[in-house]
Amino acid sequence: MTTQVQDPDFPCSLVIDLPLPTSRLASAASQALRVDKELSPLVRRSFYTLPAAVSNPAEDATLVHTSEETILRTEYKATTNRMLRVAVNGFMESLSVVLGVMEELDIDVLGVDSGKE
Amino acid sequence: MIAIGLEGSANKLGVGIISHPSPGKPAQVLSNVRHTFNAPPGEGFLPKDTAKHHRSWFIQLVKQAMREAGVKIGDIDCVCYTKGPGMGAPLQSVAVGARMLSLLWGKELVGVNHCVGHIEMGREITGAENPVVLYVSGGNTQVIAYAEQRYRIFGEALDIAVGNCLDRFARTLEISNDPAPGYNIEQLAKSGKVLLDLPYAVKGMDCSFAGILSSIDLLAAELKANPEWKDPLTGEAITTADLCFSLQETIYAMLVEITERAMAHVGSNQVLIVGGVGCNERLQEMMGLMARDRGGSVFATDERFCIDNGIMIAEAGLKAFETGFRTPLEESTCTQRFRTDEVFVKWRN
């Protein structure tokens, strides 16, 4: 669901919403990915973190934190479909590293303390 | 202090963890793991494929390095990564991983110059006090001497690196790139005897290899067209081993000359050879002959440290970190061009 205004200079656009378990992860992904500039001047890109929509109200008394920004939204726009495809493919490749680190190298997986004194 | 270092500027992805137990004591290598991307014979490694390789090995190598070092995240003080110089896509693929580690682990980032990494690890391992450094690899050829908190470039290759000349000749010969094209040329050269005529391109403190590559490629084409080619002086049959031998003798003599020129200029009699081409035993031998003539010596490391690796990034990074150097996340980019003398070597006087 995008309410993007069409940019006449960059007519080919794509929005990718990536739901993540926590806002910490969404924020980390956004910060890590935004550092590298887009290589081509024919492509523009922006990152946002958004709160998840509450689709299933909780049945029990637990509060659902709707203010947690757990979705990473990436908006790409380019002058041609080819440039858009190339840029988004590059983004997906970087994303694979981001997700891999989250999944297998985070503090709960590797452990913070060595347990020695 | 303990640092993790991540290196991926060319076709090797390296992760190393180093410990500086206390000032004045030698550094300890806690782990140093690496995986190399080799192109098929006759081909070189391209940025896109190399980056893909690094991305697919990143997680596994970091895990392995942590496991072998026996450290947990809480033990690590900083995340060091190669900022440059090198190939764009491979550098960036590793930098993204480094940033994620920094963010999720809550550790600061240190961007490291690849060349300075080689120098600092060479100094640390060999204990050489203030040598002239010959840094020779597939991507770089520089003669470096330290002065007033900078590693100053005294001489360098004007076109392609000496290792690039070797790698591309290996493609011409279509020999294997595994474990490294230069290594396979070295083995072939050992059975070479005939010294063929090649240009000798030393220009003052600098040297040039592109013309030599063209010449050796021409000789290889001649040999392929005429397998019966014989050396006019001795009547011996010319082989690809002779081509490899002639190439090595010529380019290594050039490197020895520019290194000696820097030693005379600076007044040093120690040479430290770093970088992948530094593994070559013939180069070490020739450099040793020159150094001994000057009453000096050659320092070199083994393939764990002279070939691109993560521990050298951790070492140089941790040295910088200990002086207060940090790379803020927004500045944790990569750059293909990063001169060795751009780094302020605060950790030396």
Side-chain angles (χ1 to χ4, degrees), chain A residues 24-25 28-29 31-33 35-36 93-94 96-98 100-102 104-107 110-114 116, chain B residues 55 58-59 62-63 66 70 72-75 92-93 96-97 99-101 103-105 329-330 332-334:
Chain A
R24 169 179 171 267
L25 293 177
Q31 289 179 74
L33 291 167
V35 176
D36 298 306
E93 287 167 342
S94 295
S96 73
V97 176
V98 166
V101 173
M102 286 178 184
E104 299 192 62
L105 298 175
D106 204 345
I107 51 182
L110 286 184
V112 177
D113 297 313
S114 55
K116 327 178 222 176
Chain B
R55 281 185 218 111
F58 185 85
I59 309 292
V62 171
K63 265 193 189 166
M66 298 285 286
K72 296 287 180 188
I73 294 170
D75 303 318
Q92 187 263 354
S93 67
V96 171
R99 290 177 211 134
M100 281 305 289
L101 291 177
L103 286 160
L104 294 183
W105 292 2
L329 186 74
E330 316 76 55
S332 65
T333 50
C334 299

Side-chain angles (χ1 to χ4, degrees), chain B residues 9-321:
Chain B
S9 59
N11 65 328
K12 278 79 76 183
L13 177 64
V15 181
I17 300 179
I18 201 147
S19 163
H20 287 180
S22 52
K25 286 185 116 186
Q28 284 170 17
V29 174
L30 299 182
S31 62
N32 189 23
V33 297
R34 174 173 65 214
H35 194 267
T36 306
F37 170 62
N38 290 124
E43 294 175 33
F45 55 90
L46 295 168
K48 188 173 167 127
D49 304 324
T50 309
K52 192 170 177 175
H53 165 270
H54 291 353
R55 281 185 218 111
S56 57
W57 281 87
F58 185 85
I59 309 292
Q60 184 176 337
L61 283 185
V62 171
K63 265 193 189 166
Q64 188 186 345
M66 298 285 286
R67 198 170 48 236
E68 285 183 18
V71 299
K72 296 287 180 188
I73 294 170
D75 303 318
I76 295 190
D77 291 287
C78 59
V79 176
C80 311
Y81 76 101
T82 308
K83 190 174 178 67
M87 298 168 80
L91 281 169
Q92 187 263 354
S93 67
V94 175
V96 171
R99 290 177 211 134
M100 281 305 289
L101 291 177
S102 162
L103 286 160
L104 294 183
W105 292 2
K107 307 290 175 185
E108 301 204 69
L109 276 168
V110 178
V112 178
N113 179 302
H114 181 89
C115 317
V116 173
H118 274 293
I119 297 171
E120 289 301 335
M121 202 62 202
R123 286 181 59 226
E124 186 66 36
I125 291 293
T126 63
E129 278 181 26
N130 197 16
V132 163
V133 179
L134 176 66
Y135 170 35
V136 274
S137 69
N140 293 282
T141 296
Q142 298 172 16
V143 178
I144 293 158
Y146 173 79
E148 294 177 29
Q149 299 183 300
R150 299 262 171 194
Y151 287 114
R152 319 250 169 203
I153 301 173
F154 274 65
E156 59 189 316
L158 296 171
D159 36 50
I160 60 175
V162 63
N164 189 245
C165 180
L166 289 163
D167 291 351
R168 284 160 72 175
F169 186 54
R171 279 181 240 166
T172 304
L173 294 180
E174 293 186 62
I175 59 181
S176 171
N177 288 319
D178 189 5
Y183 177 84
N184 293 329
I185 291 184
E186 180 180 6
Q187 305 317 306
L188 261 178
K190 285 178 179 170
S191 45
K193 294 186 294 284
V194 181
L195 184 65
L196 297 162
D197 225 0
L198 285 170
Y200 183 89
V202 167
K203 296 161 193 278
M205 303 282 275
D206 299 318
C207 49
S208 158
F209 296 103
I212 298 175
L213 176 61
S214 304
S215 298
I216 196 74
D217 278 348
L218 280 172
L219 291 180
E222 269 182 54
L223 180 60
K224 198 166 181 187
N226 177 20
E228 305 301 314
W229 183 14
K230 291 193 175 18
D231 178 27
L233 281 171
T234 61
E236 299 239 17
I238 309 254
T239 63
T240 53
D242 295 319
L243 296 179
C244 293
F245 170 73
S246 305
L247 180 61
Q248 285 203 158
E249 294 300 299
T250 306
I251 60 182
Y252 294 160
M254 288 164 54
L255 293 175
V256 170
E257 178 179 337
I258 62 171
T259 307
E260 181 167 21
R261 192 156 286 129
M263 289 165 76
H265 192 99
V266 157
S268 166
N269 63 4
Q270 288 184 331
V271 182
L272 170 64
I273 312 182
V274 298
V277 181
C279 296
N280 189 293
E281 289 172 359
R282 180 57 183 149
L283 174 61
Q284 291 178 14
E285 183 186 9
M286 288 169 76
M287 197 67 72
L289 291 167
M290 177 275 288
R292 267 190 297 284
D293 279 350
R294 302 182 64 87
S297 50
V298 174
F299 295 83
T301 61
D302 62 46
E303 54 84 38
R304 286 173 296 166
F305 307 111
C306 62
I307 298 181
D308 287 348
N309 58 82
I311 198 81
M312 72 188 190
I313 302 300
E315 171 63 12
L318 188 53
K319 278 180 164 147
F321 184 78

Side-chain angles (χ1 to χ4, degrees), chain A residues 74-101:
Chain A
T74 311
E75 292 183 357
Y76 268 98
K77 56 184 184 181
T79 54
T80 63
N81 278 319
R82 182 182 166 272
M83 289 312 305
L84 179 67
R85 189 181 69 240
V86 169
V88 171
N89 281 343
F91 162 75
M92 290 297 178
E93 287 167 342
S94 295
L95 190 59
S96 73
V97 176
V98 166
L99 291 175
V101 173

